[in-house]
Amino acid sequence: MSQPISVRTVADGVARLAWSVEHTVDEVRREVARALVDHPRVETLVDPDDQAAQRVATWSGMHREGVMRGVTVGDGPVDRIVYARLATDAPVNEPGGFRALLNSFLPRKRAISQMLVRDPDGRVLLCRLTYKQDWDLPGGVVEVGESPRIAVAREVEEELGLTIDAGDLLLTDWLPPWGGWDDAICLVFDGGVHHGSVLDEVVKQEREIREVRFCTIEEVRELAADFTARRVEAAVRGRADYTESGRT
């Protein structure tokens, strides 16, 4: 006979469950429901390598909340995935509750929006950033729930003090994991053609921007990282291509 599912109060209003491989999803789901009678929150900590326990936690109705790093368990610190269900969560058998459950563990891709701004000579506006040596197109990370088109206009205004509407999408570029970053999708929007005097209107966000200037494609290749230069050249072609690290 398997040991009972462990249910203990770890903080005011918080119950923590632990179970063994013999326990089924239905058994864990029932214990979650019982614990929620007296606790607003029920949680469990799951080994990232234990796929079976992750499935049980999910289909018992608990949302994946993230990874708690360096938890002291047994002989030393380990990482644990935190799953939890709140008394206020919508029932899983309702469409909204089921979507919320799926949304908690399905992959989320980071999105970056950039703007291609050119002058009448075809030169490209590049920024020298404070946090890396390479130059790059103006833009930045899209916030949760934010339109990529709105995001790039917001970033250009925040970083450069320029109000430029984002035009057509010129390029979708996938960036593989690199240098400690997860992978991301980079969307490059058309910022139109502006006279070189637009640089006189720039108000740099000193925390992020060191220098701004229009560059020829040859200068882009010299100043930017290889994958950035490839992305810029692909965006200049303006065919709404899809590339991976700037390569078709």
Side-chain angles (χ1 to χ4, degrees):
M1 181 180 296
S2 61
Q3 294 294 317
I5 294 173
S6 168
V7 183
R8 62 190 182 92
T9 300
V10 294
D12 186 23
V14 181
R16 183 172 296 168
L17 270 61
W19 60 86
S20 61
V21 293
E22 293 84 6
H23 293 111
T24 66
V25 169
D26 287 341
E27 290 173 328
V28 175
R29 186 186 297 122
R30 285 194 293 270
E31 289 300 329
V32 169
R34 290 192 187 104
L36 283 173
V37 172
D38 299 316
H39 302 83
R41 173 185 171 90
V42 176
E43 65 182 26
T44 190
L45 305 182
V46 178
D47 187 334
D49 295 326
D50 192 340
Q51 298 291 329
Q54 293 176 47
R55 286 192 294 271
V56 171
T58 296
W59 300 120
S60 65
M62 287 189 275
H63 294 211
R64 177 174 171 142
E65 294 186 338
V67 177
M68 186 183 297
R69 298 182 300 155
V71 181
T72 301
V73 176
D75 296 332
V78 294
D79 293 348
R80 288 291 181 263
I81 303 174
V82 181
Y83 288 85
R85 184 161 187 82
L86 307 183
T88 54
D89 286 340
V92 177
N93 59 356
E94 295 181 1
F98 186 63
R99 288 194 295 268
L101 181 67
L102 292 181
N103 190 60
S104 76
F105 70 85
L106 288 175
R108 301 182 185 185
K109 187 77 71 180
R110 179 178 291 116
I112 299 168
S113 280
Q114 294 187 323
M115 186 176 285
L116 183 72
V117 178
R118 285 167 282 187
D119 71 2
D121 295 325
R123 296 181 300 173
V124 175
L125 188 69
L126 284 191
C127 301
R128 183 186 178 200
L129 305 174
T130 60
Y131 50 87
K132 64 179 182 179
Q133 293 300 313
D134 303 324
W135 292 57
D136 210 340
L137 293 171
V141 175
V142 181
E143 301 291 346
V144 176
E146 184 180 35
S147 154
R149 189 187 299 274
I150 291 174
V152 71
R154 172 184 56 76
E155 286 283 347
V156 169
E157 185 170 7
E158 290 176 357
E159 293 180 349
L160 304 180
L162 299 177
T163 301
I164 302 176
D165 292 332
D168 293 339
L169 179 66
L170 300 176
L171 182 71
T172 300
D173 186 32
W174 177 70
L175 307 177
W178 176 81
W181 290 98
D182 291 337
D183 71 322
I185 292 292
C186 182
L187 304 174
V188 182
F189 291 90
D190 189 3
V193 176
H194 299 263
H195 192 274
S197 61
V198 75
L199 295 179
D200 297 332
E201 303 172 26
V202 168
V203 180
K204 299 192 300 294
Q205 185 183 60
E206 300 293 344
R207 180 167 49 86
E208 294 192 28
I209 307 297
R210 287 180 179 164
E211 189 177 347
V212 184
R213 74 189 224 204
F214 282 104
C215 300
T216 65
I217 291 300
E218 290 72 21
E219 290 172 325
V220 171
R221 293 174 187 145
E222 177 184 345
L223 296 172
D226 291 345
F227 61 88
T228 300
R230 290 193 298 267
R231 185 189 317 132
V232 170
E233 292 185 66
V236 167
R237 290 195 295 268
R239 298 200 301 261
D241 285 337
Y242 168 77
T243 57
E244 296 189 351
S245 197
R247 296 187 176 94
T248 56

